[in-house]
Amino acid sequence: MKHLPFLFLLLLTLALTGCFRRWRMTENDIREHYANRPVKPVYHTLENDTMKLFCASIGPDTLPPLLLIHGAPGAWYGYLRLLDDSLLQQRFHLISVDRPGYGYSRKGRKPLTGIDQQAHQIAHALSLNKSGRTAVVLGRSYGAPIAARLAMLYPDKVKHLLMVAPPIDPDREKFFWFSKWGKLPVVQLFLPGRLNTATAEKYAHPAELQQLQSCWSGLCLPVTVMQGGNDWLVDPANLDFAKQVLADTQTNFIFLPEAGHLITNSHPDLVRELILEAAVHTDER
């Protein structure tokens, strides 16, 4: 009986790591993926005393930028479907980032959970583009409010914002039975850094969203919000919150009743169509 707490923690750790293992790619996996593809990413690391931002880009930097921001946990390669899309490659300089605290964008031990801090740091990725054109910015899941804040802070750099399955309502953050156990130091010792960062973000998220509430009215650009009805990670009622705080903006709200959380994977054609529509408006600016 005295070993039960240890066994429980061990099983919990295995469960948490197993849940996300299939979404993780190694460097060998990425090399294999691009081995026979004619278009391959170029890697960049932007770093100064306070930040480190890893980016993968595809396409000429003279095309308008499409900036892709992942959720939690996640990595730049979570957007491979979009990065490998030949139609998008013809229209955009695609830039996918490892968010601060994830992948190769880790600097220091303390997770960076502030939405403002992440938005400021990720905005540096746009310096890789030399077109002089404004960007289409797409953020999914936890990356969506960061993408929104980036658009608020840098309105001269962003033309269109797409938020996919966005957890933006501070009163509807979902916590699961294992969430609190992920905060225990003894459990975190056995977990990958990206999961510990995701846990820290999750518990900081409601307060961060509260601070963001008064900022939504300052979003003065076209917005697209997509939400699935069968999303088990983000409460679909977040779409109602989006309609409330974005009521005075030019926003296209898309509800997909049968879709789950990973809309960019389950509905790639629709996502591509919406990005290309945004490109037309970007070209007009």
Side-chain angles (χ1 to χ4, degrees), residues 41-88:
V42 176
Y43 302 115
H44 318 261
T45 299
L46 307 175
E47 188 170 8
N48 58 33
D49 291 341
T50 59
M51 61 155 269
K52 182 178 182 181
L53 186 71
F54 179 83
C55 314
S57 70
I58 282 186
D61 60 12
T62 52
L63 291 175
L66 169 60
L67 179 60
L68 306 171
I69 305 174
H70 66 77
W76 71 268
Y77 51 73
Y79 283 109
L80 283 185
R81 280 179 180 265
L82 298 182
L83 292 168
D84 294 341
D85 190 296
S86 59
L87 289 179
L88 294 181

Side-chain angles (χ1 to χ4, degrees), residues 113-115 169-171 173 175 201-213:
T113 58
I115 289 177
D169 186 341
D171 296 325
E173 185 72 20
F175 292 91
E201 279 190 328
K202 187 166 193 63
Y203 278 89
H205 205 233
E208 288 292 317
L209 293 179
Q210 286 285 358
Q211 295 181 30
L212 195 61
Q213 280 210 84

Side-chain angles (χ1 to χ4, degrees), residues 42-48 51-57 59-68 93-97 119-137 150 154 156-158:
V42 176
Y43 302 115
H44 318 261
T45 299
L46 307 175
E47 188 170 8
N48 58 33
M51 61 155 269
K52 182 178 182 181
L53 186 71
F54 179 83
C55 314
S57 70
D61 60 12
T62 52
L63 291 175
L66 169 60
L67 179 60
L68 306 171
H93 176 215
L94 296 101
I95 306 170
S96 187
V97 301
H120 279 299
Q121 293 195 11
I122 292 172
H124 283 81
L126 295 175
S127 68
L128 298 172
N129 184 263
K130 309 305 179 186
S131 70
R133 311 298 291 272
T134 49
V136 173
V137 179
L150 190 155
Y154 301 93
D156 59 323
K157 297 181 182 294
V158 182

